[in-house]
Amino acid sequence: MTKPPSPPRPRWGAACVIGWPVAHSRSPLIHNYWITRYGLDAEYRREAVPPDQFKDFIAQLSDRGYVGANVTVPHKEAALAVAAPDERAKVVGAANTLWLEGGVLRATNTDVEGFIANLGAAAPAWDRGLRSAVVLGAGGAARAVVFGLLGRAVERVHVVNRTFERAKALADRFGGQVKPFRWSDLDRLLADAGLLVNTTSLGMSGQPELAIDLAPLPADAVVADLVYAPLKTALLADARRRGLRAVDGLGMLLHQAVGGFERWFNLRPQVTEDLRALVEADLIGT
Ligand code: ATR
């Protein structure tokens, strides 16, 4: 006997982003844009929740009227323990999206598909014949990027980090295709790289610039920065000056939001130029 189809999920309800602090989050701007655009009877809010209250807050998520939530710094690792994570969230070691499904709170990591979808949109065919990628940084964002790259059959991922031990721990987590390196290895790694990704906090407003020499990169390489505040980082400006394809962090922010919205409100939203312009305007001056 065939299983009856499960009832469609509602197109109403509330979702939120949980962080500490959370004022800087652009997720409300993105999701409320879609809510209005698609005429849903829904709302997306900010919830400032300190780490010692995170578990209790999540336990009451449904009672508070939420059908799901985004989770941001510093709760992305803690989110794994308060919900049922999928394989990808487990491997990455962090979750950014929670949703209720049949009374069970589930968790995934949409940074992975956000990174890959944005690369596809901004640098078509970026992975054609790609043999080696260099990832700068070894935190949660780097783990999501590496997971995404391995899903696209990139032959080798070279993880370069200030603290070598963290790069090694990341590589150990993913197996032989991922190798850890030191900052001093960068020149020789770039010479062979079709993709360079910055996942460090260098270049963010208030942080030092990422000062690396892109000269060794092949002419057809793609340079991606996860930093989106500011939108135009020194790394991307340098890449553009050299005629390399440059991919900014705003696209990933927009694309990672799709999976949450779809799960909460049963509708897959589009990342459009209008939405990008709205968030870009909000980032001016950052
Ligand atoms: P996330 O989870 O968002 O990726 P994170 O775990 O704090 O954040 O990681 C930040 C990354 O930026 C790390 O790779 C960090 O390097 P260390 O592991 O050596 O700390 C990197 N980073 C931050 N400040 C840096 C700096 N001044 N120079 C080089 N790397 C830096």
Side-chain angles (χ1 to χ4, degrees):
M1 214 173 77
T2 51
K3 234 175 106 193
S6 35
R9 279 194 222 119
R11 293 188 176 191
W12 47 264
C16 61
V17 53
I18 306 167
W20 184 258
V22 78
H24 65 281
S25 172
R26 263 73 187 192
S27 291
L29 193 60
I30 299 168
H31 289 287
N32 284 317
Y33 170 88
W34 282 330
I35 285 170
T36 305
R37 163 90 176 64
Y38 296 109
L40 306 191
D41 183 14
E43 197 184 340
Y44 187 98
R45 306 186 200 111
R46 282 189 176 86
E47 293 281 7
V49 178
D52 62 343
Q53 291 170 27
F54 180 68
K55 201 170 160 217
D56 288 347
F57 187 93
I58 294 295
Q60 299 160 359
L61 201 63
S62 172
D63 292 344
R64 289 172 186 268
Y66 289 123
V67 294
N70 282 127
V71 174
T72 188
V73 179
H75 304 309
K76 285 186 178 186
E77 278 87 8
L80 291 180
V82 296
D86 63 6
E87 195 53 31
R88 122 181 336 198
K90 274 191 235 166
V91 175
V92 171
N96 70 342
T97 301
L98 309 178
W99 74 102
L100 282 157
E101 198 175 286
V104 177
L105 187 65
R106 310 217 31 208
T108 190
N109 189 313
T110 63
D111 284 337
V112 174
E113 74 230 32
F115 172 69
I116 296 295
N118 182 44
L119 268 183
W126 63 273
D127 57 345
R128 190 170 299 155
L130 181 66
R131 295 211 318 272
S132 133
V134 171
V135 175
L136 303 174
R143 296 196 302 272
V145 163
V146 169
F147 185 95
L149 291 176
L150 294 179
R152 295 303 285 260
V154 177
E155 276 176 36
R156 293 184 306 275
V157 180
H158 298 144
V159 175
V160 176
N161 198 46
R162 173 180 62 179
T163 312
F164 178 76
E165 290 67 30
R166 284 191 89 198
K168 176 143 185 356
L170 191 155
D172 289 347
R173 194 179 185 103
F174 285 99
Q177 277 172 279
V178 183
K179 300 248 181 297
F181 290 93
R182 296 171 205 281
W183 217 257
S184 52
D185 297 312
L186 202 50
D187 272 8
R188 106 186 136 77
L189 295 173
L190 290 184
D192 186 36
L195 174 69
L196 169 67
V197 188
N198 174 40
T199 77
T200 74
S201 45
L202 293 171
M204 277 182 199
S205 49
Q207 299 290 324
E209 283 298 352
L210 172 58
I212 60 171
D213 182 10
L214 299 182
L217 275 174
D220 60 353
V222 174
V223 177
D225 202 337
L226 266 50
V227 172
Y228 59 83
L231 196 51
K232 296 189 171 88
T233 60
L235 174 72
L236 294 181
D238 190 18
R240 288 190 186 104
R241 254 194 314 275
R242 292 171 185 277
L244 302 168
R245 285 185 291 170
V247 179
D248 67 40
L250 175 54
M252 174 173 169
L253 179 73
L254 302 177
H255 282 279
Q256 65 77 31
V258 170
F261 194 94
E262 184 176 23
R263 288 174 174 91
W264 307 322
F265 304 125
N266 196 31
L267 190 157
R268 189 167 178 84
Q270 296 291 312
V271 173
T272 56
E273 279 307 314
D274 269 10
L275 172 61
R276 195 185 149 93
L278 178 78
V279 184
E280 221 176 299
D282 194 60
L283 288 170
I284 289 171
T286 57

